[in-house]
Amino acid sequence: PALPAILEPLTINGVEVRNRLILPPMCMYACEARDGVPHGWHFQHLGARAAGGFGIVVAEATAVTPKGRISAWDTGLWNDEQRDAWAPIAAYVAAEGAVPAVQLGHAGAKASTVPMHPGVPAGEPILEGPDAWATLSPSGVPATSMPANVRAMTEQDVAGTVRAFADAARRADEAGFGAVQLHAAHGYLIHQFLSPLTNTRTDGYGGDFEERTRFLRELVAAVREVWPADKILGVRISGSDWVEEGWGIEETVRLARILEEEGVHWMDVSSAGLGDRYHGPKGPGYQVPLARAVKEGTQRMVVSAVGSLTTPQEVEEVLVSGAADAVCVGRAALANPNGPVEAALELGASAEQAPMARQYFRATWGPG
Ligand code: FNR
């Protein structure tokens, strides 16, 4: 049968990706030892979804410094022990045919929070005790109205953080990852620099578009010095703050044009993350128009869409309509690691065409 669009291979910077389905980064809050070292949980989580057929498997927001963790339970890449623990995970994901990727992040003012666990209010800061620390942000402006123990970054902090991103990218390469994604979305540090809601600096890192985007542009330049030219470099962006005086889609498209010139191959377009109350649209594919704007506004950028895309038909339609080159499926993939195989079969692909692990060839999907 004809291949559904979700199964068409995709080439990013010369790297062949087997299909258009991406597992987006999702924090597991599973490092109980608070050492940022991934372990069996991370292996099975990412490994199962590689075997389940995703083209790119992106490991969760992984901190470039201890202070950059969203919570004390996050993974890191600020030391070699963490790198060495990631290596077998990346190797296994690659062995299953997916591109192993890692999202590098710094939470800024949204660090030192409670992990997203059942019955716990998401994103609530921890202000005291062993799992709390003072956080950093561009201007000491909290990212939400919850109490925060945050101070403005000095120029030395900024330079040190740029180095930390580059060091983490070097370790990601050494660990065998084929792609890194810089986390510039969801109200975390890079987004805090981009948005006028949280960036009131006057030292060249804040002010107009050029100045607010400088931190990210410096990160890209620093990462490119250590990240191999034949691997994939990506950025995840919040395409809009959904706030009148905040960061918006016009600035996102303008930035994407600059980043494609500066060596970024892939932009994953999400939204929001600053402020408390969500004012944006909702519903299936509500962020797809942001991805489409970046796709239409750039020349070579590989663009992925994300957000409440759950059925095979919805995902297929994003691709067929040309809104994006690839689609991330997050929460649905927590429920079902084999989503790509099932979606392929549902869209009419044969079992041979579906990205099925050969060990599971006797599996039955649906009434067997
Ligand atoms: C997330 N999301 C997320 N995003 C990100 O950029 N880095 C991260 O580490 C995380 N962590 C995370 C944890 C959990 C448990 C969830 C549910 C979500 C957001 C995620 O990547 C995705 O953008 C959203 O879930 C929307 O896509 P879906 O779930 O509607 O397909």
Side-chain angles (χ1 to χ4, degrees), residues 283-296:
Y286 69 99
Q287 295 171 147
V288 171
L290 303 173
R292 180 186 285 280
V294 175
K295 179 73 195 154
E296 288 175 353

Side-chain angles (χ1 to χ4, degrees), residues 126 313 327:
I126 301 180
Q313 292 75 16
V327 174

Side-chain angles (χ1 to χ4, degrees), residues 22-29 58-62 70 74 103 116 181 183-186 188 236 268-271 286-287 305-310 327-334:
I22 300 174
L23 181 79
M26 285 183 282
C27 286
M28 294 286 110
Y29 306 105
V58 190
E60 65 190 80
T62 291
I70 299 167
D74 292 17
Q103 184 184 52
M116 196 197 293
Q181 179 184 71
H183 193 354
H186 300 166
Y188 297 109
R236 186 172 233 203
D268 188 23
V269 187
S270 187
S271 74
Y286 69 99
Q287 295 171 147
V306 60
S308 295
L309 292 161
T310 53
V327 174
C328 299
V329 179
R331 288 164 298 172
L334 295 180

Side-chain angles (χ1 to χ4, degrees), residues 4-10 17-24 49-50 52-58 97-99 266 304-305 309-312 314-316 319 325-329 333 337-345 347 355:
I6 61 165
L7 293 188
E8 270 166 31
L10 173 66
V17 182
R18 66 176 157 181
N19 62 44
R20 306 292 173 125
L21 300 174
I22 300 174
L23 181 79
R49 284 150 188 84
F54 281 94
I56 305 178
V57 168
V58 190
V99 174
W266 163 37
S304 52
L309 292 161
T310 53
T311 71
E314 281 164 6
V315 175
E316 182 77 358
L319 299 169
D325 302 295
V327 174
C328 299
V329 179
N338 299 308
V341 176
E342 292 187 27
L345 296 175
L347 292 170

Side-chain angles (χ1 to χ4, degrees), residues 272-293:
L274 291 173
D276 297 314
R277 290 213 298 119
Y278 184 68
H279 299 290
K282 288 191 181 77
Y286 69 99
Q287 295 171 147
V288 171
L290 303 173
R292 180 186 285 280

